[in-house]
Amino acid sequence: MTLNPSTNRHHYPSPAPSPPNGIDFTMTAANPITVLASSRAILDGKLTAATIVISRATGKITSIFHSVLHASDFPPGTTYINHSPHILLPGLVDAHVHLNEPGRTEWEGFWTGTRAAAFGGVTTVIDMPLNAIPPTTSVSALREKVQAAQGKCWVDVGFYGGIVPGNPTELRPLVEAGVRGFKGFLIDSGVPEFPAVSSTDIALAMAALADEPTTLMFHAETIPPIADSVGDDVQRSLPPLAPIGPLDEYATFLASRPSAFETYAIAQILSLAHIAPKLPLHIVHLSAIEAIPLLREAIANGINITAETCFHYLSLAAESIRNGDTRHKCCPPIRSQSNQDGLWEELMQDDGCITTVVSDHSPCTPNLKLLPSHIANAKNDVVAGQEESKGDFFSAWGGVSSVGLGLSILWTEGQSRGISIEDVVKWCCKKTAKQVGLENEKGDLAVGFDGDVVVFDDEGFFEVGEDAMLFRNKCSPYQGMRLQGVVKETWVRGQRVWDREGSGFGKGGPNGKLLLERRR
Protein backbone atom coordinates (compact mmCIF):
# COMPACT_ATOMS: atom_id res chain seq x y z
CA MET A 1 0.00 0.00 0.00
CA THR A 2 1.48 3.34 -1.06
CA LEU A 3 0.58 6.41 0.93
CA ASN A 4 -0.17 9.72 -0.75
CA PRO A 5 2.64 12.13 0.14
CA SER A 6 0.14 14.97 0.12
CA THR A 7 -1.77 13.60 3.12
CA ASN A 8 -1.15 14.95 6.58
CA ARG A 9 -0.38 11.59 8.13
CA HIS A 10 3.37 11.81 7.63
CA HIS A 11 5.68 14.78 7.98
CA TYR A 12 8.35 15.23 5.32
CA PRO A 13 11.16 17.44 6.58
CA SER A 14 12.88 19.67 4.08
CA PRO A 15 16.11 18.20 2.80
CA ALA A 16 19.21 19.74 4.31
CA PRO A 17 21.13 21.73 1.70
CA SER A 18 24.40 19.95 2.44
CA PRO A 19 25.97 17.67 5.00
CA PRO A 20 27.19 19.37 8.16
CA ASN A 21 30.66 20.83 8.08
CA GLY A 22 33.43 18.45 8.95
CA ILE A 23 31.80 15.34 7.44
CA ASP A 24 33.82 13.95 4.56
CA PHE A 25 31.81 11.84 2.12
CA THR A 26 34.70 11.32 -0.24
CA MET A 27 33.90 8.05 -1.97
CA THR A 28 36.71 5.97 -3.42
CA ALA A 29 36.98 2.44 -4.69
CA ALA A 30 38.28 1.50 -1.24
CA ASN A 31 35.51 3.37 0.58
CA PRO A 32 32.16 3.00 -1.24
CA ILE A 33 29.06 4.02 0.68
CA THR A 34 25.36 3.28 0.61
CA VAL A 35 22.89 5.90 1.76
CA LEU A 36 19.38 5.04 2.99
CA ALA A 37 16.96 7.82 3.89
CA SER A 38 13.36 8.15 5.01
CA SER A 39 11.01 10.63 6.59
CA ARG A 40 10.47 7.97 9.29
CA ALA A 41 13.14 5.89 11.02
CA ILE A 42 13.74 4.55 14.51
CA LEU A 43 16.91 6.11 15.90
CA ASP A 44 17.79 5.61 19.55
CA GLY A 45 14.31 4.26 20.18
CA LYS A 46 12.49 7.26 18.70
CA LEU A 47 10.67 7.91 15.42
CA THR A 48 12.39 10.63 13.39
CA ALA A 49 13.52 11.51 9.89
CA ALA A 50 16.91 10.05 9.04
CA THR A 51 19.66 9.66 6.50
CA ILE A 52 21.92 6.71 7.22
CA VAL A 53 25.36 6.32 5.64
CA ILE A 54 26.83 2.81 5.55
CA SER A 55 30.36 1.88 4.51
CA ARG A 56 30.15 -0.96 2.03
CA ALA A 57 33.75 -1.83 2.85
CA THR A 58 33.12 -2.45 6.56
CA GLY A 59 29.35 -2.92 6.67
CA LYS A 60 29.19 -0.36 9.50
CA ILE A 61 27.08 2.77 9.84
CA THR A 62 29.46 5.72 9.55
CA SER A 63 27.10 8.71 9.76
CA ILE A 64 23.48 9.46 10.66
CA PHE A 65 21.51 12.68 10.10
CA HIS A 66 18.13 13.45 11.63
CA SER A 67 16.78 14.75 8.35
CA VAL A 68 16.33 13.55 4.78
CA LEU A 69 19.38 14.63 2.84
CA HIS A 70 19.20 14.77 -0.94
CA ALA A 71 21.13 12.50 -3.30
CA SER A 72 23.03 15.57 -4.52
CA ASP A 73 24.55 15.95 -1.06
CA PHE A 74 26.66 12.87 -1.76
CA PRO A 75 29.38 12.13 -4.30
CA PRO A 76 28.26 11.16 -7.81
CA GLY A 77 27.71 7.44 -8.13
CA THR A 78 26.67 6.96 -4.50
CA THR A 79 24.00 4.32 -3.96
CA TYR A 80 21.19 6.48 -2.54
CA ILE A 81 17.59 5.41 -1.82
CA ASN A 82 14.87 7.52 -0.23
CA HIS A 83 12.34 5.08 1.22
CA SER A 84 9.83 7.68 2.47
CA PRO A 85 7.22 7.15 3.83
CA HIS A 86 8.23 3.61 4.82
CA ILE A 87 9.98 3.17 8.16
CA LEU A 88 13.67 2.32 8.49
CA LEU A 89 14.08 -0.12 11.38
CA PRO A 90 17.14 -1.82 12.80
CA GLY A 91 17.28 -5.44 11.71
CA LEU A 92 15.46 -7.77 14.08
CA VAL A 93 17.48 -10.12 16.28
CA ASP A 94 15.54 -13.37 16.64
CA ALA A 95 17.20 -14.85 19.71
CA HIS A 96 15.43 -18.22 19.58
CA VAL A 97 15.47 -20.25 16.35
CA HIS A 98 15.89 -23.97 15.69
CA LEU A 99 17.73 -24.39 12.38
CA ASN A 100 18.31 -28.12 12.99
CA GLU A 101 21.33 -28.50 10.72
CA PRO A 102 23.20 -30.85 10.65
CA GLY A 103 21.26 -34.01 11.38
CA ARG A 104 17.66 -32.95 10.79
CA THR A 105 18.06 -30.79 7.72
CA GLU A 106 14.85 -32.20 6.26
CA TRP A 107 13.13 -30.23 9.07
CA GLU A 108 15.04 -26.98 8.48
CA GLY A 109 18.48 -25.80 7.48
CA PHE A 110 20.67 -22.73 7.37
CA TRP A 111 19.82 -21.88 3.76
CA THR A 112 16.04 -22.03 4.09
CA GLY A 113 15.78 -20.79 7.67
CA THR A 114 17.89 -17.69 7.12
CA ARG A 115 16.13 -16.83 3.83
CA ALA A 116 12.85 -16.94 5.73
CA ALA A 117 14.38 -14.69 8.38
CA ALA A 118 15.52 -12.12 5.80
CA PHE A 119 12.07 -12.08 4.20
CA GLY A 120 10.68 -10.85 7.51
CA GLY A 121 13.34 -8.30 8.43
CA VAL A 122 15.36 -10.55 10.74
CA THR A 123 19.03 -9.84 10.16
CA THR A 124 20.43 -11.93 13.02
CA VAL A 125 19.27 -15.32 14.26
CA ILE A 126 20.63 -17.23 17.23
CA ASP A 127 20.48 -20.97 16.67
CA MET A 128 19.34 -23.25 19.48
CA PRO A 129 21.57 -26.20 20.49
CA LEU A 130 18.88 -28.77 19.59
CA ASN A 131 17.38 -30.32 17.35
CA ALA A 132 20.54 -30.74 15.33
CA ILE A 133 22.51 -33.97 15.50
CA PRO A 134 24.85 -33.70 17.25
CA PRO A 135 23.41 -31.05 19.59
CA THR A 136 25.71 -28.16 20.47
CA THR A 137 26.81 -29.53 23.84
CA SER A 138 30.56 -29.64 23.14
CA VAL A 139 33.15 -27.72 21.17
CA SER A 140 33.48 -30.56 18.69
CA ALA A 141 29.73 -30.46 18.04
CA LEU A 142 29.88 -26.68 17.59
CA ARG A 143 32.60 -27.18 14.97
CA GLU A 144 30.33 -29.57 13.08
CA LYS A 145 27.52 -27.03 13.15
CA VAL A 146 29.78 -24.20 11.98
CA GLN A 147 31.05 -26.37 9.15
CA ALA A 148 27.48 -27.16 8.11
CA ALA A 149 26.60 -23.44 8.10
CA GLN A 150 29.44 -22.29 5.86
CA GLY A 151 28.22 -20.48 2.77
CA LYS A 152 24.51 -21.07 3.52
CA CYS A 153 23.47 -18.11 5.69
CA TRP A 154 21.54 -15.18 4.22
CA VAL A 155 21.67 -13.29 7.53
CA ASP A 156 24.11 -13.28 10.43
CA VAL A 157 23.94 -16.33 12.69
CA GLY A 158 25.05 -16.88 16.26
CA PHE A 159 24.90 -20.06 18.30
CA TYR A 160 23.81 -21.23 21.73
CA GLY A 161 25.35 -24.12 23.63
CA GLY A 162 23.38 -26.69 25.56
CA ILE A 163 23.53 -27.94 29.14
CA VAL A 164 22.80 -31.64 29.54
CA PRO A 165 23.73 -34.17 32.21
CA GLY A 166 27.48 -34.75 32.24
CA ASN A 167 28.78 -31.80 30.20
CA PRO A 168 29.77 -29.12 32.77
CA THR A 169 33.44 -29.31 31.68
CA GLU A 170 32.41 -28.39 28.11
CA LEU A 171 30.72 -25.14 29.08
CA ARG A 172 33.70 -22.81 29.51
CA PRO A 173 35.37 -24.04 26.30
CA LEU A 174 32.09 -23.32 24.50
CA VAL A 175 32.15 -19.77 25.87
CA GLU A 176 35.68 -19.38 24.50
CA ALA A 177 34.51 -20.79 21.15
CA GLY A 178 31.89 -18.04 20.89
CA VAL A 179 28.47 -19.38 21.88
CA ARG A 180 26.07 -16.61 22.91
CA GLY A 181 24.51 -18.45 25.86
CA PHE A 182 23.33 -21.86 27.09
CA LYS A 183 19.98 -23.62 27.23
CA GLY A 184 18.78 -26.55 29.29
CA PHE A 185 15.47 -28.40 29.64
CA LEU A 186 13.86 -29.26 32.95
CA ILE A 187 11.49 -31.65 31.14
CA ASP A 188 11.77 -34.09 28.25
CA SER A 189 13.01 -32.12 25.24
CA GLY A 190 11.38 -34.39 22.68
CA VAL A 191 14.70 -35.62 21.26
CA PRO A 192 16.80 -38.32 22.97
CA GLU A 193 20.17 -36.69 22.31
CA PHE A 194 19.28 -33.65 24.47
CA PRO A 195 18.13 -35.01 27.86
CA ALA A 196 16.67 -32.94 30.66
CA VAL A 197 18.76 -31.66 33.56
CA SER A 198 18.22 -32.12 37.29
CA SER A 199 18.84 -29.60 40.06
CA THR A 200 22.29 -31.13 40.46
CA ASP A 201 23.08 -30.55 36.77
CA ILE A 202 21.84 -26.96 36.99
CA ALA A 203 23.98 -26.29 40.04
CA LEU A 204 27.08 -27.65 38.27
CA ALA A 205 26.36 -25.49 35.21
CA MET A 206 25.88 -22.39 37.35
CA ALA A 207 29.15 -23.02 39.16
CA ALA A 208 31.01 -23.51 35.87
CA LEU A 209 29.60 -20.35 34.30
CA ALA A 210 29.45 -18.12 37.38
CA ASP A 211 32.10 -15.66 36.18
CA GLU A 212 31.71 -16.12 32.43
CA PRO A 213 30.22 -13.52 30.03
CA THR A 214 27.17 -15.53 29.06
CA THR A 215 23.50 -16.22 29.84
CA LEU A 216 22.03 -19.42 31.27
CA MET A 217 18.58 -20.11 29.83
CA PHE A 218 15.92 -22.66 30.69
CA HIS A 219 12.95 -24.38 29.15
CA ALA A 220 11.06 -24.04 32.39
CA GLU A 221 8.57 -26.87 32.63
CA THR A 222 8.61 -29.79 35.03
CA ILE A 223 6.03 -31.88 36.87
CA PRO A 224 5.35 -30.62 40.40
CA PRO A 225 5.59 -33.26 43.13
CA ILE A 226 2.35 -34.82 44.27
CA ALA A 227 4.07 -35.61 47.57
CA ASP A 228 7.59 -35.38 48.88
CA SER A 229 8.16 -39.06 48.12
CA VAL A 230 8.06 -38.47 44.33
CA GLY A 231 10.72 -35.77 44.33
CA ASP A 232 13.29 -38.03 42.69
CA ASP A 233 10.89 -38.79 39.86
CA VAL A 234 10.42 -35.08 39.26
CA GLN A 235 14.16 -34.62 39.01
CA ARG A 236 14.23 -37.21 36.22
CA SER A 237 11.72 -34.97 34.38
CA LEU A 238 9.16 -37.59 33.52
CA PRO A 239 6.85 -36.67 30.63
CA PRO A 240 3.27 -35.64 31.37
CA LEU A 241 1.05 -38.31 32.87
CA ALA A 242 -1.68 -40.05 30.88
CA PRO A 243 -4.08 -37.51 29.34
CA ILE A 244 -7.76 -37.40 30.24
CA GLY A 245 -9.97 -36.80 27.22
CA PRO A 246 -9.87 -37.24 23.43
CA LEU A 247 -6.33 -36.90 22.10
CA ASP A 248 -7.39 -34.73 19.16
CA GLU A 249 -9.02 -32.11 21.39
CA TYR A 250 -6.78 -29.18 22.13
CA ALA A 251 -8.32 -28.84 25.58
CA THR A 252 -6.99 -32.30 26.46
CA PHE A 253 -3.47 -31.32 25.46
CA LEU A 254 -3.65 -27.96 27.26
CA ALA A 255 -4.80 -29.64 30.48
CA SER A 256 -1.82 -31.99 30.32
CA ARG A 257 0.68 -29.14 30.65
CA PRO A 258 -0.84 -26.72 33.18
CA SER A 259 0.70 -23.46 34.35
CA ALA A 260 1.98 -25.27 37.44
CA PHE A 261 4.59 -26.96 35.25
CA GLU A 262 6.12 -23.55 34.55
CA THR A 263 5.81 -22.06 38.01
CA TYR A 264 7.34 -25.09 39.69
CA ALA A 265 10.27 -25.17 37.26
CA ILE A 266 10.92 -21.45 37.71
CA ALA A 267 10.81 -21.78 41.48
CA GLN A 268 13.36 -24.58 41.20
CA ILE A 269 15.68 -22.39 39.12
CA LEU A 270 15.31 -19.43 41.47
CA SER A 271 16.18 -21.62 44.45
CA LEU A 272 19.60 -22.23 42.87
CA ALA A 273 20.35 -18.67 41.73
CA HIS A 274 22.52 -17.96 44.79
CA ILE A 275 25.18 -20.29 43.36
CA ALA A 276 26.08 -17.73 40.68
CA PRO A 277 24.54 -14.39 41.69
CA LYS A 278 26.18 -12.45 38.84
CA LEU A 279 25.23 -14.91 36.10
CA PRO A 280 22.30 -13.68 33.97
CA LEU A 281 19.45 -16.19 34.00
CA HIS A 282 16.71 -16.28 31.39
CA ILE A 283 13.41 -18.10 30.96
CA VAL A 284 12.73 -18.96 27.33
CA HIS A 285 9.24 -18.92 25.79
CA LEU A 286 7.30 -17.99 28.92
CA SER A 287 3.63 -18.79 28.38
CA ALA A 288 1.97 -18.81 31.84
CA ILE A 289 1.01 -15.53 33.49
CA GLU A 290 1.05 -17.30 36.87
CA ALA A 291 4.85 -17.21 36.66
CA ILE A 292 5.00 -13.41 36.44
CA PRO A 293 4.68 -12.70 40.19
CA LEU A 294 7.49 -15.20 40.90
CA LEU A 295 9.80 -13.49 38.44
CA ARG A 296 8.89 -10.00 39.59
CA GLU A 297 9.59 -10.89 43.21
CA ALA A 298 12.91 -12.48 42.27
CA ILE A 299 13.99 -9.40 40.35
CA ALA A 300 12.98 -7.17 43.25
CA ASN A 301 15.18 -9.31 45.49
CA GLY A 302 18.19 -8.80 43.24
CA ILE A 303 18.16 -12.01 41.22
CA ASN A 304 19.50 -11.41 37.72
CA ILE A 305 16.71 -13.00 35.67
CA THR A 306 14.63 -12.07 32.61
CA ALA A 307 12.09 -13.80 30.43
CA GLU A 308 11.02 -13.86 26.82
CA THR A 309 7.70 -14.73 25.25
CA CYS A 310 6.86 -15.66 21.67
CA PHE A 311 4.82 -14.32 18.80
CA HIS A 312 2.43 -17.27 19.03
CA TYR A 313 1.66 -16.73 22.71
CA LEU A 314 0.83 -13.10 21.92
CA SER A 315 -1.37 -13.80 18.88
CA LEU A 316 -2.97 -17.25 19.22
CA ALA A 317 -5.41 -18.43 21.90
CA ALA A 318 -6.62 -21.86 22.97
CA GLU A 319 -10.28 -20.98 22.42
CA SER A 320 -9.67 -20.58 18.67
CA ILE A 321 -7.71 -23.79 18.05
CA ARG A 322 -9.72 -26.41 16.21
CA ASN A 323 -9.60 -30.02 17.28
CA GLY A 324 -6.89 -31.85 15.41
CA ASP A 325 -5.05 -28.70 14.25
CA THR A 326 -1.66 -29.82 15.51
CA ARG A 327 0.07 -26.93 13.76
CA HIS A 328 -0.62 -25.16 17.06
CA LYS A 329 1.10 -27.73 19.25
CA CYS A 330 4.07 -26.36 21.15
CA CYS A 331 5.49 -26.65 24.64
CA PRO A 332 4.69 -24.80 26.81
CA PRO A 333 1.26 -24.72 25.20
CA ILE A 334 -0.70 -21.83 23.75
CA ARG A 335 -3.04 -20.87 26.59
CA SER A 336 -6.30 -18.96 26.97
CA GLN A 337 -7.21 -15.54 25.62
CA SER A 338 -7.13 -14.10 29.13
CA ASN A 339 -3.63 -15.52 29.57
CA GLN A 340 -2.57 -13.89 26.31
CA ASP A 341 -3.94 -10.57 27.56
CA GLY A 342 -1.89 -10.95 30.72
CA LEU A 343 1.30 -11.56 28.77
CA TRP A 344 0.68 -8.38 26.76
CA GLU A 345 0.03 -6.42 29.93
CA GLU A 346 3.36 -7.49 31.42
CA LEU A 347 5.27 -6.98 28.19
CA MET A 348 4.07 -3.39 27.95
CA GLN A 349 5.26 -2.49 31.46
CA ASP A 350 8.53 -0.55 31.51
CA ASP A 351 9.69 -2.61 34.47
CA GLY A 352 8.13 -5.90 33.38
CA CYS A 353 9.92 -9.22 33.69
CA ILE A 354 9.16 -10.09 30.04
CA THR A 355 11.75 -8.14 28.09
CA THR A 356 11.94 -9.75 24.64
CA VAL A 357 9.78 -11.40 21.97
CA VAL A 358 11.16 -14.18 19.78
CA SER A 359 9.84 -16.78 17.34
CA ASP A 360 10.96 -20.10 18.86
CA HIS A 361 10.77 -21.33 15.27
CA SER A 362 10.68 -25.10 15.80
CA PRO A 363 9.78 -26.77 12.50
CA CYS A 364 9.46 -30.36 11.37
CA THR A 365 8.40 -32.24 8.28
CA PRO A 366 4.63 -31.99 7.68
CA ASN A 367 4.01 -35.71 8.23
CA LEU A 368 5.24 -35.37 11.84
CA LYS A 369 2.43 -32.90 12.53
CA LEU A 370 -0.14 -35.63 11.79
CA LEU A 371 -2.68 -33.18 10.41
CA PRO A 372 -6.08 -34.69 9.64
CA SER A 373 -7.67 -34.19 6.22
CA HIS A 374 -10.21 -31.62 7.45
CA ILE A 375 -7.42 -29.16 8.29
CA ALA A 376 -6.59 -26.84 5.39
CA ASN A 377 -3.21 -27.51 3.76
CA ALA A 378 -2.86 -30.83 5.57
CA LYS A 379 -0.05 -33.02 4.27
CA ASN A 380 -1.37 -36.54 4.36
CA ASP A 381 1.82 -38.39 3.49
CA VAL A 382 2.00 -39.98 6.95
CA VAL A 383 4.24 -42.96 7.42
CA ALA A 384 2.99 -46.46 8.03
CA GLY A 385 1.31 -46.88 11.39
CA GLN A 386 0.45 -43.19 11.78
CA GLU A 387 -2.96 -43.19 10.11
CA GLU A 388 -4.85 -43.57 13.37
CA SER A 389 -2.78 -40.81 14.98
CA LYS A 390 -3.91 -37.99 12.70
CA GLY A 391 -4.87 -34.98 14.78
CA ASP A 392 -3.36 -36.49 17.95
CA PHE A 393 -1.82 -33.61 19.88
CA PHE A 394 0.22 -36.04 21.99
CA SER A 395 1.82 -37.91 19.08
CA ALA A 396 2.44 -34.87 16.84
CA TRP A 397 5.73 -32.99 16.95
CA GLY A 398 5.53 -29.85 19.07
CA GLY A 399 6.70 -26.58 17.58
CA VAL A 400 5.37 -23.50 15.76
CA SER A 401 6.94 -22.39 12.48
CA SER A 402 7.05 -18.61 12.16
CA VAL A 403 10.59 -17.34 11.50
CA GLY A 404 10.32 -14.30 9.26
CA LEU A 405 6.66 -13.68 10.12
CA GLY A 406 7.12 -12.33 13.63
CA LEU A 407 7.39 -8.62 12.86
CA SER A 408 4.10 -8.69 10.96
CA ILE A 409 2.40 -10.95 13.52
CA LEU A 410 3.34 -8.62 16.36
CA TRP A 411 2.40 -5.50 14.45
CA THR A 412 -0.97 -6.96 13.41
CA GLU A 413 -1.92 -8.06 16.91
CA GLY A 414 -0.59 -4.87 18.43
CA GLN A 415 -2.86 -2.60 16.40
CA SER A 416 -5.71 -3.21 18.82
CA ARG A 417 -3.46 -2.94 21.86
CA GLY A 418 -1.97 0.48 21.27
CA ILE A 419 1.62 -0.54 20.66
CA SER A 420 4.04 1.64 18.72
CA ILE A 421 6.74 0.70 16.26
CA GLU A 422 9.20 1.90 18.92
CA ASP A 423 7.86 -0.85 21.20
CA VAL A 424 8.49 -3.50 18.55
CA VAL A 425 12.07 -2.32 18.08
CA LYS A 426 12.63 -2.41 21.85
CA TRP A 427 11.32 -5.97 22.21
CA CYS A 428 12.66 -7.55 19.01
CA CYS A 429 15.82 -5.59 18.21
CA LYS A 430 17.44 -3.66 21.04
CA LYS A 431 16.71 -5.99 23.96
CA THR A 432 17.17 -9.23 22.03
CA ALA A 433 20.59 -7.97 20.94
CA LYS A 434 21.45 -7.25 24.57
CA GLN A 435 20.19 -10.67 25.60
CA VAL A 436 22.84 -12.33 23.45
CA GLY A 437 25.68 -9.86 24.02
CA LEU A 438 25.41 -8.04 20.68
CA GLU A 439 24.14 -4.71 22.01
CA ASN A 440 27.18 -2.81 20.70
CA GLU A 441 26.72 -3.88 17.08
CA LYS A 442 23.15 -5.07 16.53
CA GLY A 443 19.62 -3.99 17.39
CA ASP A 444 19.93 -0.25 16.77
CA LEU A 445 20.64 2.23 14.00
CA ALA A 446 23.69 4.06 15.35
CA VAL A 447 27.16 5.05 14.23
CA GLY A 448 29.55 2.13 14.59
CA PHE A 449 26.77 -0.47 14.48
CA ASP A 450 26.30 -2.96 11.68
CA GLY A 451 24.33 -1.58 8.75
CA ASP A 452 21.39 -3.92 9.35
CA VAL A 453 18.34 -2.04 8.10
CA VAL A 454 14.74 -3.04 7.44
CA VAL A 455 12.42 -1.06 5.18
CA PHE A 456 8.96 -1.55 6.70
CA ASP A 457 5.59 -0.63 5.22
CA ASP A 458 3.52 -0.41 8.38
CA GLU A 459 0.24 -0.01 6.47
CA GLY A 460 0.66 -2.74 3.88
CA PHE A 461 -0.98 -6.17 4.09
CA PHE A 462 -0.20 -9.66 2.84
CA GLU A 463 -1.66 -13.12 3.15
CA VAL A 464 0.44 -15.92 4.60
CA GLY A 465 0.64 -18.31 1.68
CA GLU A 466 3.50 -20.54 0.59
CA ASP A 467 5.26 -17.54 -0.95
CA ALA A 468 5.44 -15.93 2.51
CA MET A 469 6.67 -19.05 4.32
CA LEU A 470 10.22 -19.38 3.11
CA PHE A 471 11.16 -21.88 5.79
CA ARG A 472 11.62 -25.40 4.44
CA ASN A 473 8.27 -26.97 5.36
CA LYS A 474 5.16 -24.90 4.66
CA CYS A 475 3.27 -25.92 7.77
CA SER A 476 2.29 -23.15 10.18
CA PRO A 477 -0.75 -22.04 12.19
CA TYR A 478 -0.45 -18.70 10.42
CA GLN A 479 -1.29 -20.16 6.99
CA GLY A 480 -4.08 -18.20 5.37
CA MET A 481 -3.95 -15.30 7.83
CA ARG A 482 -3.92 -11.70 6.62
CA LEU A 483 -1.17 -9.76 8.33
CA GLN A 484 -0.44 -6.05 8.48
CA GLY A 485 3.10 -4.81 8.00
CA VAL A 486 5.23 -5.69 4.98
CA VAL A 487 9.03 -5.86 4.84
CA LYS A 488 9.99 -4.19 1.57
CA GLU A 489 13.77 -4.60 1.86
CA THR A 490 16.27 -6.17 4.24
CA TRP A 491 19.88 -4.99 4.43
CA VAL A 492 22.59 -6.92 6.27
CA ARG A 493 25.81 -5.03 6.96
CA GLY A 494 25.15 -2.65 4.10
CA GLN A 495 24.21 -5.30 1.55
CA ARG A 496 20.65 -5.64 0.30
CA VAL A 497 19.61 -9.24 0.94
CA TRP A 498 15.86 -9.08 0.24
CA ASP A 499 13.98 -6.77 -2.13
CA ARG A 500 10.24 -7.47 -2.28
CA GLU A 501 9.52 -5.15 -5.19
CA GLY A 502 12.68 -5.94 -7.13
CA SER A 503 14.79 -9.02 -7.61
CA GLY A 504 13.83 -10.84 -4.41
CA PHE A 505 17.05 -12.42 -3.19
CA GLY A 506 18.93 -11.47 -6.33
CA LYS A 507 21.91 -13.34 -7.68
CA GLY A 508 24.51 -12.51 -5.08
CA GLY A 509 24.02 -15.57 -2.91
CA PRO A 510 24.16 -15.77 0.88
CA ASN A 511 26.64 -13.49 2.61
CA GLY A 512 25.70 -13.89 6.26
CA LYS A 513 28.39 -13.88 8.91
CA LEU A 514 28.83 -16.50 11.64
CA LEU A 515 29.05 -14.69 14.99
CA LEU A 516 31.73 -16.65 16.82
CA GLU A 517 33.63 -14.04 18.81
CA ARG A 518 33.76 -14.53 22.57
CA ARG A 519 31.15 -12.46 24.41
CA ARG A 520 32.51 -9.53 26.37
Side-chain angles (χ1 to χ4, degrees):
M1 177 182 293
T2 302
L3 297 178
N4 185 344
S6 65
T7 67
N8 294 324
R9 179 178 176 89
H10 302 301
H11 171 61
Y12 290 81
S14 301
S18 61
N21 293 333
I23 301 295
D24 182 11
F25 285 134
T26 302
M27 186 176 65
T28 66
N31 186 36
I33 59 174
T34 292
V35 179
L36 305 178
S38 178
S39 56
R40 296 190 298 160
I42 303 297
L43 302 181
D44 195 26
K46 297 178 181 178
L47 188 65
T48 181
T51 301
I52 301 168
V53 182
I54 306 169
S55 167
R56 285 157 56 188
T58 66
K60 300 288 186 180
I61 297 172
T62 59
S63 304
I64 292 179
F65 302 95
H66 289 254
S67 61
V68 177
L69 302 186
H70 194 272
S72 61
D73 293 320
F74 299 92
T78 297
T79 299
Y80 172 95
I81 309 173
N82 184 344
H83 287 288
S84 302
H86 301 322
I87 310 175
L88 301 184
L89 307 177
L92 274 67
V93 178
D94 192 339
H96 192 144
V97 177
H98 294 267
L99 292 173
N100 300 347
E101 188 172 2
R104 289 192 175 93
T105 312
E106 70 276 15
W107 293 16
E108 190 65 275
F110 289 104
W111 182 280
T112 50
T114 58
R115 276 171 71 95
F119 169 89
V122 176
T123 57
T124 305
V125 302
I126 311 299
D127 178 58
M128 279 290 164
L130 73 163
N131 300 302
I133 303 175
T136 315
T137 54
S138 67
V139 172
S140 61
L142 176 64
R143 291 195 187 107
E144 287 191 52
K145 177 158 284 203
V146 168
Q147 181 62 36
Q150 296 291 340
K152 299 178 183 176
C153 298
W154 293 85
V155 302
D156 290 353
V157 177
F159 304 93
Y160 289 125
I163 60 168
V164 293
N167 83 326
T169 59
E170 293 282 357
L171 304 183
R172 287 180 181 173
L174 280 166
V175 172
E176 293 297 325
V179 301
R180 315 305 306 180
F182 293 88
K183 179 185 181 182
F185 275 70
L186 277 72
I187 202 167
D188 179 27
S189 72
V191 292
E193 64 276 0
F194 202 92
V197 290
S198 68
S199 289
T200 300
D201 299 316
I202 295 171
L204 290 171
M206 287 180 170
L209 297 172
D211 298 315
E212 296 294 332
T214 193
T215 302
L216 185 53
M217 309 180 302
F218 299 96
H219 179 127
E221 284 186 290
T222 195
I223 304 172
I226 300 169
D228 292 342
S229 62
V230 300
D232 289 343
D233 281 344
V234 171
Q235 295 310 323
R236 288 201 294 273
S237 299
L238 294 177
L241 303 179
I244 300 174
L247 303 185
D248 67 341
E249 288 190 6
Y250 186 75
T252 306
F253 172 66
L254 179 58
S256 77
R257 300 186 89 109
S259 300
F261 278 30
E262 291 189 71
T263 55
Y264 182 68
I266 289 171
Q268 188 175 341
I269 294 160
L270 294 174
S271 72
L272 300 167
H274 65 277
I275 296 171
K278 296 181 182 179
L279 177 65
L281 306 177
H282 185 73
I283 305 301
V284 300
H285 50 51
L286 183 74
S287 79
I289 58 172
E290 290 84 353
I292 291 172
L294 282 174
L295 292 168
R296 276 186 163 270
E297 181 181 6
I299 294 167
N301 290 333
I303 294 178
N304 189 2
I305 190 166
T306 54
E308 68 190 35
T309 194
C310 301
F311 303 117
H312 44 275
Y313 299 131
L314 295 172
S315 62
L316 304 173
E319 293 90 337
S320 301
I321 299 175
R322 291 182 292 167
N323 291 343
D325 194 349
T326 53
R327 295 174 299 182
H328 294 79
K329 180 186 175 179
C330 58
C331 300
I334 295 164
R335 303 191 188 276
S336 68
Q337 182 62 60
S338 61
N339 186 88
Q340 181 194 120
D341 295 340
L343 292 174
W344 272 104
E345 183 178 350
E346 181 67 11
L347 179 65
M348 295 177 72
Q349 300 299 316
D350 290 337
D351 61 347
C353 63
I354 302 175
T355 57
T356 54
V357 185
V358 297
S359 71
D360 187 13
H361 175 67
S362 184
C364 66
T365 53
N367 64 293
L368 294 178
K369 276 296 188 182
L370 302 174
L371 283 169
S373 58
H374 73 272
I375 300 297
N377 303 305
K379 301 293 186 180
N380 293 311
D381 52 340
V382 296
V383 299
Q386 287 185 334
E387 188 68 27
E388 295 183 358
S389 297
K390 286 183 181 178
D392 180 347
F393 280 96
F394 293 84
S395 298
W397 173 258
V400 170
S401 293
S402 65
V403 69
L405 300 176
L407 173 58
S408 301
I409 292 167
L410 199 61
W411 187 240
T412 301
E413 178 65 26
Q415 294 307 292
S416 63
R417 297 181 181 272
I419 72 167
S420 67
I421 195 64
E422 294 95 328
D423 292 327
V424 174
V425 168
K426 177 174 64 176
W427 301 327
C428 301
C429 306
K430 196 172 184 67
K431 289 194 173 182
T432 45
K434 183 178 180 180
Q435 180 178 315
V436 296
L438 294 171
E439 67 270 28
N440 293 319
E441 54 192 294
K442 303 284 188 183
D444 203 355
L445 298 177
V447 172
F449 279 56
D450 287 347
D452 297 349
V453 184
V454 177
V455 181
F456 185 59
D457 176 4
D458 59 320
E459 296 196 347
F461 290 86
F462 70 99
E463 183 174 309
V464 182
E466 292 205 3
D467 60 343
M469 297 184 291
L470 274 63
F471 34 86
R472 174 153 293 165
N473 295 292
K474 319 304 182 188
C475 182
S476 171
Y478 295 102
Q479 285 172 271
M481 288 191 183
R482 188 169 185 258
L483 299 179
Q484 181 176 348
V486 177
V487 172
K488 310 294 283 187
E489 295 183 13
T490 301
W491 296 71
V492 179
R493 288 178 287 104
Q495 300 293 321
R496 183 162 47 197
V497 175
W498 164 250
D499 181 0
R500 188 182 183 93
E501 305 299 331
S503 57
F505 284 94
K507 301 179 181 179
N511 195 34
K513 176 182 176 183
L514 303 185
L515 306 173
L516 290 167
E517 70 279 4
R518 186 180 191 272
R519 280 185 64 164
R520 297 177 183 271

